[in-house]
Amino acid sequence: MSENKQHLLSISVPQILLQTNYHNVLYPRGLAALSSAGIDLYAPEFNDVATVIAGTVQHDAEPATRQGLGQRSISIDRGDLAQLLLDRAAALPNVRVHYLHLLGGVDVANSVVTFSIVGAEGTHVSQEYDLLVGADGVRSGVRSAMQDQVPGFTAKVVEEDQQYKTVELGDVRALRGYDPSLNWEDRAHFWTNARRGVALLCPPRRGTAVSAALVLPRRGAHSFEAMGTTAESVSAFLMRALPTLQRDVGDAQFGDVVRQLLSGQAPRSNRTVYCSALACGRMALVGDAAHAMSAALGQGVNSALETVAVLARELRCADDAALVKAEDVPAALRTFSARRLRDAHAVCRLSERRMGRTPLGRRLFALQLACTQQLGKLGLAAPPVLFQLGKMDMPYSAIAARQRRQVLAAYALLTAAALPAAMGVMLRSLRVPLLVYSLMAAIAAALRAITASRTAKSTSS
Ligand SMILES: Cc1cc2nc3c(=O)[nH]c(=O)nc-3n(C[C@H](O)[C@H](O)[C@H](O)COP(=O)(O)OP(=O)(O)OC[C@H]3O[C@@H](n4cnc5c(N)ncnc54)[C@H](O)[C@@H]3O)c2cc1C
C-alpha cells in the first residue's frame, strides 16, 4: 500500500500479539519460499520458536518410532510464524506495521481501504493504495470486496466434512513407552483410527508439552456431536474412537482431555476456497484468502508462502530499484494470477480429496497406494506422488496430474487382476485365471529383470 505515493508498505493487523494454539509443519516447499525472503528457520536465532522434526511416533498399537515423511521439517506455532514475519517486515526500510487496525471495507473503484481501530470505537482510518494484498485468512474481507465489486470475480467456498478441537495431552515424558534416547520431544505424535476418520495429531513444539488437534468427521457416529455432553459419554466415545489413548496418556491426563473437550470450545472446521482469479486490478489475494484448504495434507501455510514468493517475484521485490512501478501493478498482478491460479486450484482439490473422505474412499485410497507401490517395484510407476507434496521441485498442478495417472494405472492393474478371477467363476474353471495369472507373473518378472539391469547399468556408468 502506498502512502503519499512513496514506496511505503503498510501492514495492518488486528491484534498486538498473534497467538494460536496449533502448530504448522513447514516442509521444504514452504521453507524454500521463506528462504527466498532471506529467512532460514534452521538458524539458531529461531531455536526458541522452531522445532526441527526428528520423525514420528504412531501410538495406535505399541508406540512405533519412525523417521516419517516430515523428518527435518519445521514445526512452528502459527502465531509465532506470523509474528516473526511481521518483525522481519517491520525491520525493512519503508515498511510500517499498524497493529490494532481491522479492515472495515474496500472501495475498489477508488482504490481506498478503510480500517477501524480496535479499542477506539468509531475511529476509522482511510488509505489510498497502489497495491492491496489480502492476506486476511479464510474469511477474507478483501476477497468479499472483490466478490461484491469486481464484475466476473467469483469465489466458491466448500465447507470441510471434518471438524477439529485442540487439546493438551500433558508432558511427553509421561507418555507410555517414553524413552529419552528416542527424542520423542521433537517428534510428531499420532493416534489414528483411519476406518472411522478419527485422528489426534500432535506436531512437536518447544519444550515437553504435547498439544493436539482432535479431528473428527463432521457428521455421524464419530462426530463431535455424537460425543455427548457428559464426562461418561465423552470418555466412552474416546475409548471407542482411539482405544489406546487412555493407556498411553494415563488415567489422570485422559480425564483432563475429557474435561477440555467438555469445556465449551466449539468444534472448528476448515473451508476450501476456489477463486476465479488471484488478483483483480490493484488487489491480490494470498494464503487462505486466496486458496484456503483442508489441513489434512498440511499444505495451507506451505502453499501460502509459495504464493507470496510468486507474487514477490512478479512485483520484483528483491531489487528496490527494479520494483514494479505503481502504473504497472495491475499488469504484474495479472501475470501473478495467471502463473499461480492452476497450482492454487490443484492443491485445494488434492487437499479436499485428501486420502479418501468416506470409509470406502479411504480403503480404495489405501488399495490404490499399495498398487502404485507394487507398480513402482516393477519400475512402472514413480513412488506415490502424494508423498511429494511437501517437496519444492514439482508444482501442485503437475502433482495433481501425476496423481490422476497413478490412480488410473492402479485401477487398471486391479481390473486386470480381478477379470481372470471373474472369468474363472463364470466358466467354473481354474484354467483361465491360472493361465492369465501365470502370464502376468511372467511379464512382471521380465519387467523386474529389465528394471534391475537398467539400474545396474546406470549405477556402473
Ligand atoms: C489445526 C490446523 C493445523 C494446520 N496445520 C498445518 C500444517 O501443518 N501445515 C500447513 O502448511 N498448514 C497447516 N494448517 C493451515 C494453516 O494454518 C493455514 O493455511 C494458514 O494459517 C493460512 O495463513 P494465512 O496467513 O493465509 O491466514 P491466517 O493464518 O488465517 O491469518 C490471517 C490473518 O489475517 C488477520 N485478519 C483477519 N481478518 C482481518 C481484518 N478484517 N482486518 C485485518 N486483519 C484481519 C487475522 O487476524 C490473521 O492474523 C493448519 C490449520 C489448522 C486449523
Side-chain angles (χ1 to χ4, degrees), residues 12-15 18 22-27 78 82 101-104 115 135-139 141 164 166 203 213 270 286-289 293 295 298-304:
S12 303
V13 196
Q15 300 96 341
L18 305 158
Y22 63 86
H23 274 52
N24 284 159
V25 177
L26 291 181
Y27 298 103
R78 172 72 194 101
H101 279 50
L102 190 67
L103 177 78
F115 297 95
D136 48 345
V138 62
R139 289 177 176 77
Y164 71 91
T166 50
N270 290 319
V286 296
D288 278 8
M293 65 197 72
Q299 290 303 307
V301 165
N302 287 279
S303 60

Side-chain angles (χ1 to χ4, degrees), residues 343-362:
D343 287 325
H345 284 181
V347 65
C348 285
R349 269 197 308 274
L350 285 167
S351 294
E352 204 189 330
R353 277 189 233 129
R354 49 184 192 273
M355 301 183 187
R357 277 176 287 189
T358 58
L360 179 65
R362 283 188 283 276

Side-chain angles (χ1 to χ4, degrees), residues 228-249:
T229 51
T230 65
E232 291 71 30
S233 66
V234 174
S235 169
F237 177 96
L238 284 179
M239 284 194 270
R240 269 196 320 275
L242 297 170
T244 57
L245 183 64
Q246 184 172 18
R247 178 200 71 182
D248 291 339
V249 299

Side-chain angles (χ1 to χ4, degrees), residues 203-424:
R205 55 198 285 181
R206 299 309 303 159
T208 56
V210 184
S211 299
L214 175 63
V215 185
L216 301 180
R218 181 185 281 270
R219 290 179 199 83
H222 300 99
S223 61
F224 283 104
E225 207 180 2
M227 205 178 246
T229 51
T230 65
E232 291 71 30
S233 66
V234 174
S235 169
F237 177 96
L238 284 179
M239 284 194 270
R240 269 196 320 275
L242 297 170
T244 57
L245 183 64
Q246 184 172 18
R247 178 200 71 182
D248 291 339
V249 299
D251 291 344
Q253 186 59 43
F254 185 78
D256 194 52
V257 170
V258 171
R259 271 191 294 283
Q260 292 175 56
L261 290 171
L262 283 169
S263 71
Q265 176 197 158
R268 280 176 272 178
S269 63
N270 290 319
R271 294 165 161 189
T272 306
V273 174
Y274 298 93
C275 293
S276 57
L278 299 183
C280 297
R282 296 184 171 278
M283 302 159 84
L285 297 171
V286 296
D288 278 8
H291 44 67
M293 65 197 72
S294 157
L297 298 181
Q299 290 303 307
V301 165
N302 287 279
S303 60
L305 292 169
E306 207 176 50
T307 300
V308 171
V310 176
L311 178 61
R313 254 198 315 277
E314 293 311 325
L315 294 170
R316 299 200 292 269
C317 293
D319 179 1
D320 225 16
L323 197 65
V324 162
K325 293 197 178 65
E327 59 269 29
D328 298 329
V329 164
L333 294 189
R334 271 197 300 279
T335 315
F336 155 69
S337 182
R339 290 243 154 95
R340 189 60 179 160
L341 189 63
R342 269 184 71 207
D343 287 325
H345 284 181
V347 65
C348 285
R349 269 197 308 274
L350 285 167
S351 294
E352 204 189 330
R353 277 189 233 129
R354 49 184 192 273
M355 301 183 187
R357 277 176 287 189
T358 58
L360 179 65
R362 283 188 283 276
R363 280 196 187 156
L364 284 175
F365 177 81
L367 202 61
Q368 178 251 313
L369 212 60
C371 285
T372 305
Q373 274 162 338
Q374 283 310 316
L375 287 169
K377 282 184 191 157
L378 296 174
L380 294 178
V385 72
L386 221 48
F387 298 156
Q388 316 278 320
L389 269 177
K391 298 194 178 155
M392 61 209 177
D393 43 10
M394 202 191 283
Y396 289 121
S397 49
I399 291 181
R402 194 182 280 184
Q403 161 81 351
R404 274 195 299 277
R405 286 198 295 276
Q406 288 193 338
V407 170
L408 281 179
Y411 287 145
L413 181 72
L414 284 173
T415 313
L419 268 180
M423 280 168 73

Side-chain angles (χ1 to χ4, degrees), residues 12-14 98-105 114-118 124:
S12 303
V13 196
H98 300 272
Y99 286 98
L100 303 178
H101 279 50
L102 190 67
L103 177 78
T114 305
F115 297 95
S116 56
I117 309 300
V118 178
H124 297 280

